[in-house]
Amino acid sequence: MELTIYLAGEIHSDWRAKLKDQASSLPYTLHFTGPMENHSRSDDIGEEILGEQPNAIFKDDAASAFNNLRTQVLMQKSDLVIALFGEQYKQWNTAMDASAALTMNKPLILIRLEKLHHALKELSRKATVTVETPEQALKAVSYIFETE
């Protein structure tokens, strides 16, 4: 058995690379996907496809359309979603992606620090499971593969 996992969350740190590196030593196959991690590309994709936009609002709207397309397609093709809420960056996209996963009936592993419990209590309650670290999320995924 193999799983495809959509990694939702901020794109400014290397948490995805660390998680993928840890997963590479596991005795089963995990495929990872997620949002565009190149921030400039994510911001500029609308103009790259549609051409120069008249102002920053139109530029953001155009980029959002293509980023939402990417997220929807890749998330629908995933078997489960891991959504990381870190403490350094604003987490609006993470909340949106976690909610989209729930709407699609995708199993959702929510990663959030204990100090973020109150702010995320409703979302955490709707998630399939909530953990505090990416390592715990990977252990949760590993449990799926256990036979005894």
Side-chain angles (χ1 to χ4, degrees):
M1 179 171 67
E2 299 179 1
L3 290 178
T4 298
I5 301 171
Y6 187 92
L7 299 176
E10 53 88 5
I11 62 171
H12 303 285
S13 70
D14 64 350
W15 74 273
R16 284 180 183 80
K18 289 177 182 176
L19 190 136
K20 290 174 189 178
D21 184 55
Q22 292 170 352
S24 69
S25 65
L26 297 172
Y28 42 83
T29 303
L30 299 176
H31 302 281
F32 295 98
T33 189
M36 171 54 64
E37 294 180 56
N38 179 325
H39 197 219
S40 295
R41 178 131 171 86
S42 174
D43 284 349
D44 295 339
I45 191 63
E47 288 191 326
E48 181 179 315
I49 294 172
L50 299 175
E52 186 176 347
Q53 298 298 300
N55 61 44
I57 292 173
F58 282 90
K59 179 181 177 180
D60 283 348
D61 284 349
S64 294
F66 294 105
N67 286 318
N68 285 337
L69 171 69
R70 177 190 171 99
T71 298
Q72 183 176 2
V73 169
L74 295 177
M75 195 177 287
Q76 283 179 347
K77 290 184 170 291
S78 70
D79 297 302
L80 67 96
V81 175
I82 295 176
L84 172 88
F85 283 88
E87 60 182 315
Q88 185 175 2
Y89 300 100
K90 294 180 175 92
Q91 306 294 314
W92 299 305
N93 285 356
T94 309
M96 183 181 72
D97 287 352
S99 295
L102 293 169
T103 300
M104 293 180 200
N105 292 316
K106 297 289 180 181
L108 173 64
I109 299 174
L110 191 72
I111 304 171
R112 58 109 179 101
L113 301 172
E114 183 179 351
K115 69 182 187 176
L116 297 176
H117 165 76
H118 182 75
L120 295 170
K121 65 185 180 297
E122 285 81 10
L123 188 55
S124 182
R125 183 79 170 146
K126 297 240 182 214
T128 310
V129 295
T130 299
V131 297
E132 293 182 10
T133 67
E135 294 78 20
Q136 290 173 333
L138 206 49
K139 286 180 182 179
V141 171
S142 293
Y143 183 67
I144 295 169
F145 289 90
E146 286 186 27
T147 58
E148 295 181 21

